[in-house]
């Protein structure tokens, strides 16, 4: 006889019909549906951090695979992620630091890539400007150059 495992299905529906329905499953049949949805919602921000650390900071494929190497690389990547946000938020606050794009006209908050690009831009500005010729670079040229470099890296 096959063993049957029951699951609790929690459906979260937007009463105004704007957002799509969300479906959550749990094997805890006595769980409070609100807590099930809350647990999944809390997990989402953790998944976003993991994705950004792997994709933007290279933590997905560390170059060190001996002894404590992978753990150290992961710790360093997570520390770097936190350090970038710790620098970005007090430095720029609610100012728009990203280039507005036509495909995302309502963007109101920065992504991690925006914060990383501003860090690159700030560091490169400090290095490129002093190395310029006797006459400073035209600000429009310098801004364009830094924007392309910072977002392409």
């Amino acid at each position: 006889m096959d063993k049957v495992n029951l699951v609790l299905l929690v459906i979260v529906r937007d009463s105004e019909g704007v957002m799509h329905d969300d479906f959550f499953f749990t094997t805890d049949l006595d769980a409070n549906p609100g807590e099930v949805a809350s647990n999944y919602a809390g997990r989402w921000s953790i998944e976003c951090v993991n994705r950004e650390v792997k994709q933007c900071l290279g933590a997905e494929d560390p170059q060190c695979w001996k002894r404590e190497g992978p753990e150290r690389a992961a710790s360093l990547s997570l520390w770097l992620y936190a350090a970038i946000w710790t620098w970005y938020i007090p430095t720029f606050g609610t100012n728009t630091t990203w280039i507005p794009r036509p495909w995302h006209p309502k963007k109101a908050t920065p992504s991690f890539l925006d914060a990383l690009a501003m860090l690159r831009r700030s560091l490169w500005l400090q290095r490129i400007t002093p190395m310029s010729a006797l006459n400073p670079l035209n600000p429009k040229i310098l801004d364009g150059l830094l924007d392309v470099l910072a977002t392409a890296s």
Side-chain angles (χ1 to χ4, degrees):
M1 180 189 308
D2 291 334
K3 184 177 177 183
V4 176
N5 292 323
L6 298 177
V7 295
L8 173 66
L9 169 63
V10 177
I11 303 171
V12 178
R13 181 164 286 152
D14 180 9
S15 60
E16 296 178 12
V18 176
M19 303 298 293
H20 294 289
D21 293 346
D22 285 320
F23 301 87
F24 304 112
F25 300 88
T26 180
T27 56
D28 182 359
L29 301 178
D30 298 322
N32 177 318
E35 289 178 9
V36 171
S38 178
N39 288 341
Y40 276 97
R43 181 71 191 167
W44 182 250
S45 59
I46 295 169
E47 293 300 328
C48 288
V49 169
N50 289 338
R51 178 182 50 86
E52 290 169 345
V53 167
K54 287 179 179 180
Q55 291 182 355
C56 303
L57 298 177
E60 185 172 87
D61 190 20
Q63 298 300 308
C64 49
W65 285 101
K66 290 189 177 187
R67 297 183 197 78
E68 297 86 25
E71 290 88 356
R72 288 179 180 169
S75 297
L76 179 61
S77 297
L78 290 166
W79 178 89
L80 185 58
Y81 178 88
I84 291 169
W85 277 122
T86 301
W87 166 80
Y88 180 87
I89 293 169
T91 303
F92 298 103
T94 58
N95 296 331
T96 301
T97 60
W98 58 90
I99 299 170
R101 305 290 185 197
W103 55 83
H104 199 350
K106 295 181 182 179
K107 181 175 180 172
T109 57
S111 67
F112 179 68
L113 283 176
D114 296 324
L116 185 58
M118 281 309 296
L119 177 61
R120 289 176 175 148
R121 192 180 199 292
S122 298
L123 294 172
W124 289 337
L125 179 64
Q126 293 172 10
R127 290 184 179 186
I128 291 174
T129 306
M131 294 174 19
S132 299
L134 296 175
N135 298 329
L137 288 174
N138 180 323
K140 284 187 176 182
I141 293 173
L142 183 59
D143 281 346
L145 173 67
L146 290 173
D147 284 338
V148 168
L149 288 173
T151 55
S153 295

